[in-house]
Amino acid sequence: MNNIELKRFWEKVKEELIGSLPESVHPWIYSLEVSGYDKGVLTVVTGQTMAKEWLRKNHSVQMDSILQKISQNNNARIHIIYDETAAHQLKKETEKIHKKEMEAQLKEQAMENLSCMHSSANLNLKYKFENFVVGDNNKFAHDAALAVAKHPATKFNPLFIYGNAGLGKTHLMQAIGHYTIFNNPKLRVKYTKTDDYISDFISNSRKTNDSIENMSKFNKKYTNIDIILIDDIQLIESKEKTMVRMQQTFDTLYEKGKQIVITSDRLPEEIPKITDALSSRFKKGLMVELTPPDFNTRLEIIKNIAKNNDIKADKDALEYVAKYFSKNVRELEGAFTKVCAYAEFYNKQITIDLAREVLKCDENNKQITFDNITEVTAKYFEVDINDIKGTTRSQKISLARQTAIYICRELTNQSFELIGEFFRRKHTTTMYAYEQIKGKINSQKNISSSIREIKQALKVL
Ligand code: ADP
Ligand code: MG
Protein backbone atom coordinates (compact mmCIF):
# COMPACT_ATOMS: atom_id res chain seq x y z
CA MET A 1 0.00 0.00 0.00
CA ASN A 2 1.46 3.37 -0.87
CA ASN A 3 0.77 6.46 1.18
CA ILE A 4 -2.31 7.54 -0.76
CA GLU A 5 -3.76 4.03 -0.79
CA LEU A 6 -3.18 3.83 2.95
CA LYS A 7 -4.99 7.13 3.53
CA ARG A 8 -7.90 5.96 1.40
CA PHE A 9 -8.06 2.68 3.28
CA TRP A 10 -8.12 4.54 6.57
CA GLU A 11 -10.90 6.84 5.28
CA LYS A 12 -12.98 3.76 4.66
CA VAL A 13 -12.29 2.32 8.11
CA LYS A 14 -12.92 5.70 9.73
CA GLU A 15 -16.26 6.03 7.96
CA GLU A 16 -17.35 2.66 9.38
CA LEU A 17 -16.11 3.59 12.86
CA ILE A 18 -18.10 6.83 12.78
CA GLY A 19 -21.13 4.86 11.67
CA SER A 20 -20.84 2.33 14.48
CA LEU A 21 -19.38 4.09 17.53
CA PRO A 22 -21.34 6.50 19.76
CA GLU A 23 -21.35 10.14 18.78
CA SER A 24 -19.55 11.15 21.95
CA VAL A 25 -16.33 9.55 20.70
CA HIS A 26 -16.49 10.92 17.16
CA PRO A 27 -14.12 13.84 17.92
CA TRP A 28 -11.54 11.31 19.09
CA ILE A 29 -11.98 9.22 15.98
CA TYR A 30 -11.50 12.35 13.90
CA SER A 31 -8.30 13.07 15.79
CA LEU A 32 -6.77 9.79 14.55
CA GLU A 33 -4.30 9.88 11.67
CA VAL A 34 -3.07 6.75 9.98
CA SER A 35 0.66 6.08 9.97
CA GLY A 36 1.06 2.49 8.75
CA TYR A 37 -0.46 -0.89 8.05
CA ASP A 38 1.79 -3.86 8.48
CA LYS A 39 1.03 -7.55 8.99
CA GLY A 40 -2.57 -6.82 9.88
CA VAL A 41 -1.71 -4.06 12.35
CA LEU A 42 -3.14 -0.67 11.42
CA THR A 43 -1.27 1.99 13.34
CA VAL A 44 -3.06 5.26 14.00
CA VAL A 45 -1.71 8.29 15.83
CA THR A 46 -3.50 10.82 17.97
CA GLY A 47 -2.34 14.04 19.60
CA GLN A 48 -4.78 13.61 22.49
CA THR A 49 -3.94 11.22 25.36
CA MET A 50 -7.59 10.90 26.34
CA ALA A 51 -8.49 9.70 22.89
CA LYS A 52 -5.97 6.92 23.04
CA GLU A 53 -6.95 5.82 26.53
CA TRP A 54 -10.70 5.99 26.08
CA LEU A 55 -10.85 4.30 22.72
CA ARG A 56 -8.47 1.56 23.74
CA LYS A 57 -10.30 0.86 26.96
CA ASN A 58 -13.89 1.02 25.73
CA HIS A 59 -14.00 0.40 22.02
CA SER A 60 -10.98 -1.60 20.92
CA VAL A 61 -12.91 -4.84 20.34
CA GLN A 62 -15.49 -3.09 18.18
CA MET A 63 -12.83 -1.14 16.33
CA ASP A 64 -10.80 -4.27 15.62
CA SER A 65 -13.82 -6.14 14.32
CA ILE A 66 -14.63 -3.32 11.91
CA LEU A 67 -11.09 -3.42 10.58
CA GLN A 68 -11.27 -7.22 10.31
CA LYS A 69 -14.44 -6.96 8.27
CA ILE A 70 -13.02 -4.38 5.86
CA SER A 71 -9.60 -5.98 5.51
CA GLN A 72 -11.03 -9.50 5.51
CA ASN A 73 -8.35 -10.47 7.94
CA ASN A 74 -9.53 -12.03 11.20
CA ASN A 75 -6.32 -11.17 13.00
CA ALA A 76 -6.25 -7.51 12.03
CA ARG A 77 -6.24 -4.95 14.80
CA ILE A 78 -5.95 -1.23 15.34
CA HIS A 79 -2.99 0.02 17.31
CA ILE A 80 -3.43 3.53 18.73
CA ILE A 81 -0.35 5.61 19.57
CA TYR A 82 -0.18 8.95 21.32
CA ASP A 83 2.32 11.30 19.69
CA GLU A 84 1.42 14.96 19.38
CA THR A 85 4.09 15.94 16.85
CA ALA A 86 3.53 12.94 14.61
CA ALA A 87 -0.24 13.46 14.70
CA HIS A 88 0.18 17.09 13.69
CA GLN A 89 2.53 16.15 10.87
CA LEU A 90 0.23 13.42 9.57
CA LYS A 91 -2.75 15.75 9.68
CA LYS A 92 -0.92 18.24 7.51
CA GLU A 93 -0.09 15.48 5.05
CA THR A 94 -3.71 14.37 4.86
CA GLU A 95 -4.84 17.93 4.19
CA LYS A 96 -2.34 18.23 1.38
CA ILE A 97 -3.62 15.04 -0.25
CA HIS A 98 -7.20 16.24 0.12
CA LYS A 99 -6.34 19.50 -1.58
CA LYS A 100 -4.67 17.70 -4.45
CA GLU A 101 -7.65 15.41 -4.87
CA MET A 102 -10.00 18.39 -4.89
CA GLU A 103 -7.91 20.05 -7.56
CA ALA A 104 -7.91 16.90 -9.67
CA GLN A 105 -11.66 16.68 -9.31
CA LEU A 106 -12.06 20.28 -10.41
CA LYS A 107 -9.85 19.67 -13.40
CA GLU A 108 -11.85 16.62 -14.35
CA GLN A 109 -15.02 18.66 -14.09
CA ALA A 110 -13.55 21.34 -16.34
CA MET A 111 -12.59 18.73 -18.91
CA GLU A 112 -16.07 17.28 -18.74
CA ASN A 113 -17.60 20.72 -19.32
CA LEU A 114 -15.30 21.20 -22.23
CA SER A 115 -16.16 17.92 -23.87
CA CYS A 116 -19.83 18.62 -23.30
CA MET A 117 -19.38 22.01 -24.94
CA HIS A 118 -17.58 20.33 -27.80
CA SER A 119 -20.38 17.96 -28.49
CA SER A 120 -22.94 20.72 -28.24
CA ALA A 121 -20.85 22.85 -30.55
CA ASN A 122 -20.38 19.80 -32.79
CA LEU A 123 -16.62 20.05 -33.09
CA ASN A 124 -14.10 17.36 -33.96
CA LEU A 125 -11.20 17.45 -31.51
CA LYS A 126 -8.63 16.78 -34.20
CA TYR A 127 -9.40 19.93 -36.11
CA LYS A 128 -7.26 22.45 -34.27
CA PHE A 129 -4.76 25.07 -35.42
CA GLU A 130 -1.98 23.03 -33.80
CA ASN A 131 -2.71 20.15 -36.20
CA PHE A 132 -2.96 22.30 -39.30
CA VAL A 133 0.16 22.38 -41.46
CA VAL A 134 0.73 25.78 -43.00
CA GLY A 135 2.03 26.06 -46.55
CA ASP A 136 1.86 28.58 -49.39
CA ASN A 137 -1.48 27.15 -50.43
CA ASN A 138 -3.22 27.91 -47.18
CA LYS A 139 -1.17 30.53 -45.33
CA PHE A 140 -3.51 33.41 -46.02
CA ALA A 141 -6.61 31.38 -45.14
CA HIS A 142 -4.89 30.10 -41.98
CA ASP A 143 -3.79 33.57 -40.88
CA ALA A 144 -7.25 34.99 -41.51
CA ALA A 145 -8.87 32.17 -39.55
CA LEU A 146 -6.47 32.69 -36.66
CA ALA A 147 -7.14 36.43 -36.67
CA VAL A 148 -10.88 35.76 -36.53
CA ALA A 149 -10.38 33.27 -33.69
CA LYS A 150 -8.32 35.80 -31.73
CA HIS A 151 -10.56 38.79 -32.37
CA PRO A 152 -13.99 37.60 -33.45
CA ALA A 153 -16.37 40.02 -35.15
CA THR A 154 -13.86 42.82 -35.40
CA LYS A 155 -12.50 42.82 -38.93
CA PHE A 156 -13.22 39.89 -41.18
CA ASN A 157 -16.93 39.32 -40.90
CA PRO A 158 -18.05 37.12 -42.46
CA LEU A 159 -14.97 35.05 -43.17
CA PHE A 160 -15.67 33.03 -46.31
CA ILE A 161 -13.30 30.07 -46.82
CA TYR A 162 -13.57 28.38 -50.19
CA GLY A 163 -11.76 25.66 -52.14
CA ASN A 164 -12.16 22.15 -53.47
CA ALA A 165 -13.09 19.13 -51.39
CA GLY A 166 -10.51 17.76 -48.97
CA LEU A 167 -8.33 20.85 -48.71
CA GLY A 168 -8.96 21.69 -45.07
CA LYS A 169 -11.96 24.03 -45.03
CA THR A 170 -13.78 22.18 -42.27
CA HIS A 171 -10.54 21.75 -40.36
CA LEU A 172 -9.76 25.49 -40.39
CA MET A 173 -13.33 26.43 -39.56
CA GLN A 174 -13.46 24.11 -36.57
CA ALA A 175 -10.04 25.31 -35.47
CA ILE A 176 -11.65 28.71 -34.93
CA GLY A 177 -14.24 27.00 -32.74
CA HIS A 178 -11.64 25.16 -30.67
CA TYR A 179 -9.50 28.20 -30.21
CA THR A 180 -12.49 30.11 -28.89
CA ILE A 181 -13.66 27.37 -26.55
CA PHE A 182 -10.20 27.02 -25.04
CA ASN A 183 -9.22 30.66 -24.88
CA ASN A 184 -12.51 32.42 -24.49
CA PRO A 185 -14.86 29.90 -22.88
CA LYS A 186 -17.56 32.47 -22.26
CA LEU A 187 -18.28 32.79 -25.96
CA ARG A 188 -20.90 30.51 -27.45
CA VAL A 189 -19.84 28.72 -30.60
CA LYS A 190 -22.10 26.87 -32.96
CA TYR A 191 -20.90 24.67 -35.80
CA THR A 192 -23.52 23.63 -38.28
CA LYS A 193 -23.46 21.75 -41.54
CA THR A 194 -25.58 23.53 -44.13
CA ASP A 195 -27.70 20.43 -44.77
CA ASP A 196 -28.54 20.25 -41.06
CA TYR A 197 -29.52 23.90 -41.14
CA ILE A 198 -31.74 23.25 -44.14
CA SER A 199 -33.51 20.25 -42.63
CA ASP A 200 -33.91 22.07 -39.33
CA PHE A 201 -35.50 24.99 -41.14
CA ILE A 202 -37.80 22.80 -43.21
CA SER A 203 -38.97 20.72 -40.29
CA ASN A 204 -39.68 23.85 -38.24
CA SER A 205 -41.57 25.64 -40.96
CA ARG A 206 -43.70 22.54 -41.65
CA LYS A 207 -45.12 22.33 -38.16
CA THR A 208 -48.19 24.43 -38.86
CA ASN A 209 -49.99 24.64 -35.51
CA ASP A 210 -47.41 26.62 -33.62
CA SER A 211 -45.14 27.56 -36.45
CA ILE A 212 -44.51 31.10 -35.21
CA GLU A 213 -43.29 29.76 -31.92
CA ASN A 214 -41.21 27.17 -33.74
CA MET A 215 -39.64 29.73 -35.96
CA SER A 216 -38.74 31.91 -33.05
CA LYS A 217 -37.10 28.90 -31.37
CA PHE A 218 -35.27 28.22 -34.61
CA ASN A 219 -34.12 31.84 -34.81
CA LYS A 220 -32.89 31.81 -31.23
CA LYS A 221 -30.95 28.61 -31.83
CA TYR A 222 -28.95 30.21 -34.62
CA THR A 223 -28.68 33.76 -33.33
CA ASN A 224 -28.19 33.32 -29.60
CA ILE A 225 -24.51 32.63 -30.14
CA ASP A 226 -21.28 34.54 -30.53
CA ILE A 227 -19.68 32.64 -33.38
CA ILE A 228 -21.53 30.68 -36.02
CA LEU A 229 -19.64 28.28 -38.25
CA ILE A 230 -21.63 27.20 -41.30
CA ASP A 231 -20.00 24.45 -43.32
CA ASP A 232 -20.52 23.74 -47.03
CA ILE A 233 -22.84 26.60 -47.85
CA GLN A 234 -23.00 25.50 -51.52
CA LEU A 235 -25.54 22.89 -50.40
CA ILE A 236 -28.09 25.66 -50.05
CA GLU A 237 -28.30 25.84 -53.86
CA SER A 238 -31.78 26.54 -55.22
CA LYS A 239 -33.38 26.44 -51.75
CA GLU A 240 -34.73 29.93 -51.98
CA LYS A 241 -36.83 30.00 -48.83
CA THR A 242 -33.96 28.69 -46.74
CA MET A 243 -31.72 31.33 -48.30
CA VAL A 244 -34.08 34.07 -47.21
CA ARG A 245 -34.13 32.68 -43.68
CA MET A 246 -30.37 32.36 -43.62
CA GLN A 247 -30.06 35.92 -44.80
CA GLN A 248 -32.16 36.98 -41.80
CA THR A 249 -30.07 34.85 -39.48
CA PHE A 250 -26.91 36.51 -40.77
CA ASP A 251 -28.42 40.00 -40.60
CA THR A 252 -29.36 39.47 -36.97
CA LEU A 253 -25.95 38.07 -36.08
CA TYR A 254 -24.20 40.84 -37.93
CA GLU A 255 -26.25 43.53 -36.21
CA LYS A 256 -25.53 41.97 -32.84
CA GLY A 257 -21.82 42.10 -33.64
CA LYS A 258 -21.37 38.35 -33.85
CA GLN A 259 -18.87 36.48 -35.98
CA ILE A 260 -19.93 34.49 -39.03
CA VAL A 261 -17.64 31.95 -40.71
CA ILE A 262 -18.68 30.13 -43.87
CA THR A 263 -17.10 27.49 -46.05
CA SER A 264 -17.93 26.62 -49.61
CA ASP A 265 -16.48 24.50 -52.37
CA ARG A 266 -17.02 27.35 -54.81
CA LEU A 267 -17.45 31.11 -55.04
CA PRO A 268 -20.79 32.58 -53.94
CA GLU A 269 -21.84 33.51 -57.46
CA GLU A 270 -21.31 29.93 -58.57
CA ILE A 271 -23.96 28.63 -56.18
CA PRO A 272 -27.08 27.99 -58.27
CA LYS A 273 -29.91 30.46 -57.72
CA ILE A 274 -28.21 32.17 -54.82
CA THR A 275 -30.01 35.35 -53.83
CA ASP A 276 -28.14 38.59 -54.46
CA ALA A 277 -28.56 39.58 -50.84
CA LEU A 278 -26.90 36.43 -49.56
CA SER A 279 -24.15 36.49 -52.13
CA SER A 280 -23.30 40.10 -51.40
CA ARG A 281 -23.37 39.46 -47.65
CA PHE A 282 -20.69 36.78 -48.17
CA LYS A 283 -18.54 39.15 -50.13
CA LYS A 284 -18.78 41.92 -47.55
CA GLY A 285 -16.22 40.28 -45.32
CA LEU A 286 -13.05 38.48 -46.32
CA MET A 287 -12.90 35.68 -48.87
CA VAL A 288 -9.96 33.31 -48.67
CA GLU A 289 -9.15 30.38 -50.93
CA LEU A 290 -7.55 27.03 -50.15
CA THR A 291 -5.64 25.48 -53.04
CA PRO A 292 -3.90 22.08 -53.20
CA PRO A 293 -0.73 21.91 -51.09
CA ASP A 294 2.68 21.71 -52.72
CA PHE A 295 4.93 18.68 -52.28
CA ASN A 296 6.68 19.90 -49.12
CA THR A 297 3.44 20.79 -47.38
CA ARG A 298 2.01 17.39 -48.29
CA LEU A 299 5.09 15.71 -46.92
CA GLU A 300 4.82 17.74 -43.73
CA ILE A 301 1.17 16.74 -43.34
CA ILE A 302 1.90 13.02 -43.42
CA LYS A 303 5.04 13.43 -41.32
CA ASN A 304 2.80 15.01 -38.72
CA ILE A 305 0.40 12.12 -38.82
CA ALA A 306 3.31 9.73 -38.37
CA LYS A 307 4.64 11.75 -35.45
CA ASN A 308 1.30 12.07 -33.69
CA ASN A 309 0.68 8.35 -33.96
CA ASP A 310 4.21 7.19 -33.17
CA ILE A 311 4.61 5.63 -36.59
CA LYS A 312 8.09 4.97 -37.95
CA ALA A 313 8.31 5.21 -41.72
CA ASP A 314 11.15 5.45 -44.24
CA LYS A 315 11.65 8.89 -45.69
CA ASP A 316 11.22 7.73 -49.26
CA ALA A 317 7.99 5.93 -48.38
CA LEU A 318 6.60 9.22 -47.09
CA GLU A 319 7.85 10.99 -50.18
CA TYR A 320 6.22 8.41 -52.41
CA VAL A 321 2.82 8.99 -50.80
CA ALA A 322 3.24 12.78 -50.89
CA LYS A 323 4.22 12.64 -54.53
CA TYR A 324 1.25 10.72 -55.84
CA PHE A 325 -1.55 12.17 -53.73
CA SER A 326 -1.43 15.79 -54.60
CA LYS A 327 -4.93 17.11 -55.06
CA ASN A 328 -6.77 16.31 -51.93
CA VAL A 329 -5.47 16.15 -48.37
CA ARG A 330 -8.20 13.74 -47.35
CA GLU A 331 -7.01 11.30 -50.02
CA LEU A 332 -3.40 11.89 -49.02
CA GLU A 333 -4.23 11.00 -45.42
CA GLY A 334 -6.28 8.02 -46.57
CA ALA A 335 -3.41 6.67 -48.69
CA PHE A 336 -0.93 6.98 -45.84
CA THR A 337 -3.34 5.39 -43.38
CA LYS A 338 -3.77 2.48 -45.75
CA VAL A 339 -0.01 1.90 -45.93
CA CYS A 340 0.25 2.11 -42.12
CA ALA A 341 -2.62 -0.33 -41.64
CA TYR A 342 -1.03 -2.76 -44.03
CA ALA A 343 2.31 -2.51 -42.24
CA GLU A 344 0.63 -3.12 -38.91
CA PHE A 345 -1.46 -6.09 -40.06
CA TYR A 346 1.47 -7.87 -41.63
CA ASN A 347 4.09 -6.61 -39.23
CA LYS A 348 6.16 -4.90 -41.90
CA GLN A 349 8.37 -1.84 -42.02
CA ILE A 350 6.97 1.17 -43.86
CA THR A 351 9.29 1.29 -46.87
CA ILE A 352 8.87 2.67 -50.36
CA ASP A 353 8.39 -0.89 -51.65
CA LEU A 354 5.53 -1.43 -49.24
CA ALA A 355 3.94 1.90 -50.23
CA ARG A 356 4.25 0.89 -53.90
CA GLU A 357 2.74 -2.50 -53.23
CA VAL A 358 -0.21 -1.09 -51.29
CA LEU A 359 -1.00 2.02 -53.30
CA LYS A 360 -0.06 0.85 -56.78
CA CYS A 361 0.22 4.40 -58.07
CA ASP A 362 0.56 4.78 -61.76
CA GLU A 363 4.14 5.96 -61.85
CA ASN A 364 3.96 6.52 -65.57
CA ASN A 365 1.10 8.91 -64.99
CA LYS A 366 1.46 11.87 -67.26
CA GLN A 367 2.97 14.71 -65.26
CA ILE A 368 1.36 18.11 -65.48
CA THR A 369 3.54 20.04 -67.91
CA PHE A 370 3.38 23.43 -69.62
CA ASP A 371 2.72 21.52 -72.83
CA ASN A 372 -0.34 19.65 -71.73
CA ILE A 373 -1.77 22.67 -69.89
CA THR A 374 -1.44 24.75 -73.04
CA GLU A 375 -2.87 21.97 -75.18
CA VAL A 376 -5.97 21.59 -73.00
CA THR A 377 -6.42 25.36 -72.66
CA ALA A 378 -6.18 25.85 -76.44
CA LYS A 379 -8.77 23.17 -76.96
CA TYR A 380 -11.09 24.73 -74.40
CA PHE A 381 -10.92 28.18 -76.03
CA GLU A 382 -10.94 26.65 -79.52
CA VAL A 383 -7.72 28.37 -80.56
CA ASP A 384 -4.44 27.14 -81.95
CA ILE A 385 -1.50 26.30 -79.65
CA ASN A 386 0.80 28.26 -81.91
CA ASP A 387 -1.41 31.31 -81.54
CA ILE A 388 -1.19 31.06 -77.76
CA LYS A 389 2.56 31.12 -77.99
CA GLY A 390 2.49 33.61 -80.85
CA THR A 391 1.98 37.35 -80.97
CA THR A 392 -1.69 37.61 -81.95
CA ARG A 393 -3.53 39.96 -79.61
CA SER A 394 -7.17 39.18 -80.37
CA GLN A 395 -9.30 39.15 -77.25
CA LYS A 396 -10.02 35.43 -77.43
CA ILE A 397 -6.39 34.44 -77.88
CA SER A 398 -5.16 36.84 -75.21
CA LEU A 399 -7.61 35.39 -72.73
CA ALA A 400 -6.58 31.83 -73.63
CA ARG A 401 -2.91 32.80 -73.25
CA GLN A 402 -3.37 34.53 -69.91
CA THR A 403 -5.45 31.62 -68.63
CA ALA A 404 -2.80 29.09 -69.69
CA ILE A 405 -0.09 31.15 -67.98
CA TYR A 406 -2.17 31.40 -64.84
CA ILE A 407 -2.79 27.67 -64.72
CA CYS A 408 0.86 26.86 -65.43
CA ARG A 409 1.94 28.98 -62.52
CA GLU A 410 -0.71 27.60 -60.22
CA LEU A 411 -0.26 23.93 -60.98
CA THR A 412 3.49 23.71 -61.44
CA ASN A 413 4.62 26.50 -59.13
CA GLN A 414 7.46 27.19 -61.60
CA SER A 415 9.10 30.60 -61.83
CA PHE A 416 7.72 33.34 -64.08
CA GLU A 417 11.04 33.26 -65.94
CA LEU A 418 10.58 29.61 -66.88
CA ILE A 419 6.94 30.09 -67.80
CA GLY A 420 7.91 33.18 -69.83
CA GLU A 421 10.47 31.16 -71.73
CA PHE A 422 7.85 28.60 -72.68
CA PHE A 423 5.34 31.21 -73.83
CA ARG A 424 8.13 33.23 -75.51
CA ARG A 425 7.51 36.23 -73.31
CA LYS A 426 9.33 38.35 -70.77
CA HIS A 427 8.88 37.26 -67.18
CA THR A 428 7.20 40.57 -66.35
CA THR A 429 4.61 39.90 -69.05
CA THR A 430 3.81 36.46 -67.65
CA MET A 431 3.59 37.90 -64.19
CA TYR A 432 1.17 40.55 -65.44
CA ALA A 433 -0.93 37.89 -67.21
CA TYR A 434 -1.04 35.84 -64.02
CA GLU A 435 -2.12 38.82 -61.91
CA GLN A 436 -4.76 39.80 -64.47
CA ILE A 437 -6.49 36.44 -64.21
CA LYS A 438 -6.02 36.21 -60.47
CA GLY A 439 -7.67 39.58 -60.07
CA LYS A 440 -10.64 38.60 -62.18
CA ILE A 441 -11.27 35.14 -60.77
CA ASN A 442 -13.33 36.39 -57.88
CA SER A 443 -15.38 38.83 -59.87
CA GLN A 444 -15.88 37.16 -63.24
CA LYS A 445 -17.81 33.96 -63.18
CA ASN A 446 -16.83 32.88 -66.71
CA ILE A 447 -13.14 33.04 -65.81
CA SER A 448 -13.42 30.96 -62.68
CA SER A 449 -15.56 28.38 -64.40
CA SER A 450 -13.25 28.12 -67.44
CA ILE A 451 -10.32 27.50 -65.08
CA ARG A 452 -12.32 24.87 -63.25
CA GLU A 453 -13.21 23.10 -66.50
CA ILE A 454 -9.64 23.15 -67.80
CA LYS A 455 -8.39 21.72 -64.52
CA GLN A 456 -11.01 19.04 -64.74
CA ALA A 457 -9.84 18.16 -68.22
CA LEU A 458 -6.28 17.98 -66.88
CA LYS A 459 -7.63 15.66 -64.19
CA VAL A 460 -6.27 17.76 -61.37
CA LEU A 461 -9.72 18.35 -59.89
P1 ADP B 1 -12.72 20.11 -46.66
O1 ADP B 1 -13.65 20.58 -45.58
O2 ADP B 1 -12.08 21.23 -47.40
O3 ADP B 1 -13.35 19.11 -47.57
P2 ADP B 1 -11.32 18.91 -44.46
O4 ADP B 1 -11.17 20.11 -43.58
O5 ADP B 1 -12.37 17.93 -44.10
O6 ADP B 1 -11.52 19.36 -45.97
O7 ADP B 1 -9.90 18.20 -44.57
C1 ADP B 1 -9.75 16.87 -45.02
C2 ADP B 1 -8.70 16.17 -44.18
O8 ADP B 1 -7.44 16.73 -44.46
C3 ADP B 1 -8.93 16.37 -42.69
O9 ADP B 1 -8.63 15.18 -42.03
C4 ADP B 1 -7.97 17.47 -42.31
O10 ADP B 1 -7.54 17.36 -40.98
C5 ADP B 1 -6.83 17.24 -43.27
N1 ADP B 1 -6.12 18.47 -43.63
C6 ADP B 1 -6.44 19.34 -44.61
N2 ADP B 1 -5.55 20.34 -44.69
C7 ADP B 1 -4.64 20.10 -43.73
C8 ADP B 1 -3.46 20.78 -43.29
N3 ADP B 1 -3.03 21.91 -43.86
N4 ADP B 1 -2.76 20.24 -42.28
C9 ADP B 1 -3.17 19.10 -41.70
N5 ADP B 1 -4.25 18.42 -42.05
C10 ADP B 1 -4.99 18.90 -43.06
MG1 MG C 1 -15.62 20.02 -45.28
Side-chain angles (χ1 to χ4, degrees), residues 169-170 231-232 330:
K169 301 184 294 293
T170 301
D231 208 359
D232 285 325
R330 193 176 294 122

Side-chain angles (χ1 to χ4, degrees), residues 126-127 131-135 137-138 163-172 231-232 263 290 297 301 304 328-330 333:
K126 186 191 140 202
Y127 295 162
N131 299 330
F132 191 82
V133 176
V134 182
N137 64 308
N138 59 30
N164 287 328
L167 294 182
K169 301 184 294 293
T170 301
H171 188 139
L172 260 192
D231 208 359
D232 285 325
T263 70
L290 287 174
T297 312
I301 290 173
N304 250 14
N328 180 320
V329 182
R330 193 176 294 122
E333 286 184 343

Side-chain angles (χ1 to χ4, degrees), residues 399-455:
L399 181 62
R401 184 181 298 132
Q402 289 188 336
T403 306
I405 290 174
Y406 175 85
I407 297 176
C408 281
R409 169 75 178 177
E410 208 201 33
L411 294 186
T412 68
N413 223 354
Q414 294 288 2
S415 68
F416 286 115
E417 279 82 0
L418 219 64
I419 300 173
E421 245 170 57
F422 179 81
F423 287 93
R424 304 188 198 124
R425 274 162 171 78
K426 281 195 267 181
H427 87 274
T428 43
T429 316
T430 47
M431 206 188 288
Y432 175 77
Y434 174 81
E435 292 300 337
Q436 279 288 307
I437 297 291
K438 196 173 174 201
K440 286 179 194 159
I441 269 187
N442 289 350
S443 54
Q444 293 187 22
K445 201 172 164 178
N446 59 338
I447 292 194
S448 60
S449 60
S450 62
I451 289 173
R452 188 180 305 277
E453 280 176 44
I454 293 166
K455 282 186 182 171

Side-chain angles (χ1 to χ4, degrees), residues 126-148:
K126 186 191 140 202
Y127 295 162
K128 294 188 187 162
F129 283 117
E130 292 90 313
N131 299 330
F132 191 82
V133 176
V134 182
D136 282 350
N137 64 308
N138 59 30
K139 186 168 185 339
F140 185 43
H142 167 271
D143 293 352
L146 192 59
V148 162

Side-chain angles (χ1 to χ4, degrees), residues 111-125 174 177-178 181 185 187-193 196 221-222 224-225 227-229:
M111 288 310 284
E112 220 175 283
N113 284 347
L114 211 62
S115 78
C116 173
M117 257 199 297
H118 270 116
S119 60
S120 70
N122 254 329
L123 302 175
N124 176 340
L125 265 176
Q174 295 206 2
H178 280 118
I181 284 177
L187 295 186
R188 290 153 301 173
V189 181
K190 184 167 183 62
Y191 167 85
T192 256
K193 292 192 182 120
D196 290 342
K221 185 165 158 193
Y222 291 96
N224 241 352
I225 37 192
I227 299 184
I228 194 162
L229 309 168

